[in-house]
Amino acid sequence: MANSPYTFRDLTPQRADASLRAYWQQLADASPSAEAIYQTPAFFDFLCDTAHAGQTPYLYGAYRSGQAQLLGLIALQHQRRASAVARWQHGEQLVILGSGVLMPPQPDPPITPITPIPAAHSTLLPALHAFLLEQFRHAQALVYRALPASDPAWQALQQERSALLPLHLHGWRDCHYLNLPPSYADYLAQLGSKRRYNLKRQQRLLSEQAGAALRVLAIEHPAQLEALQQALAQCCSSVQRAQLWDGAELQALAQHGLLLCYRIDAGCQPCGIVLGLHRDGVYHVFNILPDPRWQALSAGTTLLQLALADLCDRRQCHRLEFGYGSPAPAHHAGNQTSRRSHLLLMRRNWRNHLRYVAQTLQTGLRTLATRYRQGVH
């Protein structure tokens, strides 16, 4: 690292410093990442409050060599696996939160036939990766969980193939998102008359079958979590519940102003839940969980539509992020997609080469199977 144009310092012990947090928040507010919520001071605090054994959050500062002024920030989580099987499959990892480095906004480059890679990406990322792998000598991979194919960082990362082994864990996949207009009425106006009729009909049928008018309760504060837990107990099996946020995580998310969930009731009984996080007009949908009794009535679509009305009209939300996977056809007609990848940048050694070959083969077989099924249908 002696010839690197950058130096990096562990700022984790200073994470409560007011001036650092103000700059951190400023960079997060300007972050172009679709997952900027995971780069915020609030989410870092949540990770610190709820870290399990083998999980340690770190905050690093980037500086130009020989200069004292803080340039950018890197929030990450060091993950260690407990079991021997898990260590073989994954090894220790450094997860780059938000799949990017927090840097001051760069001026838009001139439009040319070949858009250059920003210097901050082409020079800082290799230096950062070399530093992190030196600091965490047992870490086997640097992880970008949702790196867009269009991100300049991906262009820069491709130049590191000689130093690191890039593995797209599940290939390139579509992440769905939905841009929202200023009001729910405007959203409905974008839909066809048949679609609007069906949405109204689905809500009416659910209300009639449940025996009362539908009511939406937004849950975002710790005092409201009891109502959410009651609804989760009714709408989820014990297996499902174990896969969702636990009580301590819900409490911490609410305390740090990140949680926004919806409980939809008919009278006093819950018909379903929408679990998500909200920040600066972007809502991340994690789970849509209708009561199993109402599955046949397209209750999941109704839950989402009632949440949409609140997000548009009360919270000025301008974007919904659904993450990986394809939403049900009933409500994804207006969605757009972004190609993203769960990318592992692995050290070059024989074990990681074996992982690379095995995972690449598995992904290829899965892709062929998907194409075959699509061809059959």
Side-chain angles (χ1 to χ4, degrees):
M1 297 295 294
N3 296 325
S4 172
Y6 297 96
T7 57
F8 303 93
R9 303 174 194 168
D10 184 3
L11 301 179
T12 312
Q14 288 84 48
R15 68 184 180 91
D17 179 80
S19 59
L20 174 61
R21 290 180 72 87
Y23 184 61
W24 186 355
Q25 187 64 58
Q26 178 185 339
L27 294 182
D29 290 339
S31 172
S33 171
E35 298 194 323
I37 189 171
Y38 305 123
Q39 299 174 304
T40 59
F43 189 78
F44 194 86
D45 292 341
F46 159 74
L47 290 180
C48 292
D49 290 349
T50 60
H52 300 290
Q55 298 178 338
T56 308
Y58 288 93
L59 178 69
Y60 281 92
Y63 301 80
R64 292 198 182 275
S65 294
Q67 298 182 14
Q69 183 178 359
L70 177 61
L71 177 61
L73 293 169
I74 305 97
L76 59 90
Q77 187 171 54
H78 182 208
Q79 296 185 342
R80 299 173 296 281
R81 308 294 176 176
S83 70
V85 173
R87 285 197 297 271
W88 164 251
Q89 291 177 341
H90 305 285
E92 290 189 18
Q93 299 180 345
L94 298 172
V95 180
I96 310 298
L97 300 179
S99 294
V101 177
L102 286 170
M103 298 282 288
Q106 302 292 317
D108 292 332
I111 299 176
T112 61
I114 300 177
T115 302
I117 302 172
H121 289 108
S122 62
T123 60
L124 186 142
L125 286 180
L128 172 65
H129 295 163
F131 168 79
L132 290 176
L133 293 176
E134 176 68 22
Q135 288 292 113
F136 298 88
R137 292 180 179 271
H138 295 289
Q140 293 300 309
L142 304 168
V143 182
Y144 291 79
R145 283 184 170 164
L147 185 68
S150 59
D151 196 305
W154 169 235
Q155 303 174 44
L157 290 172
Q158 292 181 84
Q159 298 180 357
E160 292 189 64
R161 288 183 180 271
S162 59
L164 295 168
L165 189 63
L167 172 62
H168 299 279
L169 197 56
H170 306 289
W172 289 99
R173 294 179 290 166
D174 285 336
C175 285
H176 283 250
Y177 65 93
L178 178 63
N179 290 322
L180 294 176
S183 71
Y184 185 63
D186 291 335
Y187 167 78
L188 291 176
Q190 297 175 356
L191 308 178
S193 58
K194 182 178 180 179
R195 178 77 179 118
R196 292 196 298 271
Y197 169 79
N198 284 334
L199 290 175
K200 185 178 293 185
R201 177 177 175 274
Q202 288 166 354
Q203 291 187 29
R204 176 175 54 80
L205 289 175
L206 178 58
S207 176
E208 290 175 353
Q209 292 295 315
L214 300 180
R215 183 171 62 94
V216 180
L217 173 63
I219 296 174
E220 51 191 326
H221 303 298
Q224 300 171 303
L225 291 179
E226 183 177 353
L228 179 61
Q229 295 281 25
Q230 292 172 352
L232 285 169
Q234 178 168 324
C235 297
C236 302
S237 67
S238 58
V239 174
Q240 283 180 308
R241 183 66 189 93
Q243 297 172 345
L244 305 175
W245 292 313
D246 62 27
E249 289 169 333
L250 288 170
Q251 184 77 16
L253 287 169
Q255 287 176 339
H256 294 298
L258 298 168
L259 187 71
L260 178 56
C261 301
Y262 292 95
R263 170 176 162 163
I264 289 80
D265 290 353
C268 296
Q269 64 172 325
C271 292
I273 309 154
V274 179
L275 297 179
L277 302 179
H278 183 236
R279 174 188 172 271
D280 289 346
V282 179
Y283 187 62
H284 295 260
V285 180
F286 279 76
N287 302 91
I288 300 173
L289 303 166
D291 187 305
R293 292 176 296 172
W294 315 123
Q295 290 279 13
L297 299 176
S298 300
T301 300
T302 297
L303 299 179
L304 179 61
Q305 291 300 316
L306 293 172
L308 275 175
D310 181 81
L311 290 166
C312 289
D313 293 341
R314 293 188 55 218
R315 302 177 192 278
Q316 291 75 51
C317 180
H318 59 80
R319 182 181 176 107
L320 260 69
E321 281 280 343
F322 293 97
Y324 290 117
S326 296
H331 61 73
H332 84 338
N335 290 6
Q336 296 175 270
T337 58
S338 169
R339 299 285 282 173
R340 300 174 195 167
S341 176
H342 187 127
L343 178 66
L344 276 65
L345 296 174
M346 301 188 299
R347 295 182 189 269
R348 287 187 178 271
N349 56 43
W350 68 269
R351 288 189 176 183
N352 285 338
H353 275 282
L354 286 179
R355 292 189 186 99
Y356 178 86
V357 171
Q359 186 64 47
T360 301
L361 179 61
Q362 182 181 0
T363 300
L365 291 174
R366 189 185 299 116
T367 301
L368 287 174
T370 301
R371 289 177 179 173
Y372 175 77
R373 288 194 298 270
Q374 292 174 342
V376 170
H377 295 299

